Amino acid sequence: MNEHETPPLTQSPGLPKSPEGEPVFPEPWAADAFAMTVQLYEKGVFTWDDWTWALSRELHRAGRAEDGSDYFTCWVGALSDIIVDNNIVDIDAILETQESWQRAAEATPHGKPIELANDPLR
């Protein structure tokens, strides 16, 4: 893919887009998740079919937000499934990192950046 081609991931089911057709992200973490997914796809970690299947499965789970506000939570769930299924990372490592971020958030003074170094158990 050259620099002028549109990444296929911009055609992901339900991806929120601007009137110009560019992805729209509700928070910086969603843009980061999108960028990580594009990088892994471009490196051949997974195929387009793998991605659409994983994302579709997440988007069709029971209990989704009616307004679609959880779209990028589904995106991260699909990405997590793919990297675990392809033995890129172990599920326990993902869960440990999530717990570490939570502890770091709780230990970080208001107004300061949340960093993993703030996790009191690290």
Side-chain angles (χ1 to χ4, degrees):
M1 183 169 67
N2 69 41
E3 65 185 76
H4 301 292
E5 288 182 74
T6 303
L9 292 172
T10 61
Q11 302 307 314
S12 294
L15 179 67
K17 294 183 182 179
S18 70
E20 294 78 29
E22 296 297 319
V24 175
F25 306 104
E27 300 284 338
W29 67 265
D32 291 342
F34 181 85
M36 284 188 286
T37 306
V38 169
Q39 286 291 319
L40 292 170
Y41 171 78
E42 289 176 349
K43 289 182 184 282
V45 171
F46 55 87
T47 66
W48 175 245
D49 287 342
D50 292 339
W51 175 250
T52 56
W53 184 83
L55 182 58
S56 180
R57 184 179 61 206
E58 287 294 321
L59 293 174
H60 290 93
R61 285 194 193 274
R64 289 268 334 270
E66 288 183 28
D67 65 359
S69 60
D70 60 350
Y71 180 84
F72 283 104
T73 300
C74 293
W75 184 284
V76 170
L79 180 58
S80 297
D81 288 347
I82 282 180
I83 62 175
V84 168
D85 291 349
N86 285 288
N87 298 313
I88 304 300
V89 70
D90 181 77
I91 188 65
D92 291 334
I94 291 174
L95 296 174
E96 288 171 16
T97 302
Q98 285 177 330
E99 291 168 1
S100 185
W101 276 111
Q102 184 60 43
R103 288 189 301 268
E106 292 167 1
T108 301
H110 181 73
K112 299 290 183 184
I114 298 171
E115 299 173 352
L116 279 177
N118 296 346
D119 175 358
L121 299 182
R122 280 198 166 228

